[in-house]
Amino acid sequence: MEGDYRANMVNLAEAPLSDDELLELAKRLRTIYTRAWDVEEQIVPDEFLRQLVQDMKQQAPEMPFPRLVVQTTVSLLEAKQQNPEKDLEDLLPGVLQGVMERIRQQERDRYRSW
């Protein structure tokens, strides 16, 4: 694994975040995303983010959970911005599957040299 080992890093897998903290993380990511892309902040409402955190916890317990929340939130925002006519419920399964596969591949790549 290449990189700057002296750089500041946050090991999200080891972060003991509560469900409320994960929800707050998702909301802050949404705020950053919507400001960066100049889209309406309610593109993904609070209620949906709350349910998203709960659903991900049940569907993917083997995943590094904070990392899953971060990647899914950003990917869902991206999918909704690019497909405004689609419902979030319709976009979520594909987004979640793609994120989970991407994380699994990243983990495989991380240990490939072993």
Side-chain angles (χ1 to χ4, degrees), residues 17 20-30 66 69-70:
L17 300 176
D20 289 338
E21 290 168 325
L22 289 166
L23 176 59
E24 185 62 29
L25 175 61
K27 287 179 183 180
R28 287 177 187 236
L29 288 167
R30 179 189 60 197
V69 170
V70 168

Side-chain angles (χ1 to χ4, degrees), residues 1-2 12-13 63-64 66-72 75 97-114:
M1 184 168 145
E2 294 183 23
L12 290 175
M63 292 279 162
R67 184 172 165 193
L68 180 63
V69 170
V70 168
Q71 289 191 23
T72 302
S75 295
Q97 181 181 2
V99 167
M100 289 170 55
E101 183 52 39
R102 193 164 49 246
I103 290 173
R104 284 185 185 111
Q105 186 60 50
Q106 289 166 349
E107 290 297 307
R108 283 191 294 270
D109 291 347
R110 182 175 161 192
Y111 296 106
R112 187 175 312 276
S113 64
W114 293 20

Side-chain angles (χ1 to χ4, degrees), residues 43 78-91:
I43 189 172
E78 188 71 16
K80 182 61 177 170
Q81 183 188 9
Q82 293 178 24
N83 302 283
E85 73 287 352
K86 291 192 176 182
D87 290 332
L88 290 167
E89 292 81 8
D90 294 336
L91 292 170

Side-chain angles (χ1 to χ4, degrees), residues 30-73:
R30 179 189 60 197
T31 298
I32 293 166
Y33 182 93
T34 57
R35 287 182 183 170
W37 291 102
D38 194 29
V39 294
E40 181 184 332
E41 187 154 326
Q42 289 305 309
I43 189 172
V44 178
D46 287 356
E47 302 78 34
F48 194 85
L49 288 177
R50 182 175 289 108
Q51 189 60 47
L52 179 67
V53 168
Q54 294 302 316
D55 288 351
M56 283 188 291
K57 197 171 213 176
Q58 293 174 356
Q59 290 184 20
E62 81 282 359
M63 292 279 162
F65 194 62
R67 184 172 165 193
L68 180 63
V69 170
V70 168
Q71 289 191 23
T72 302
T73 300

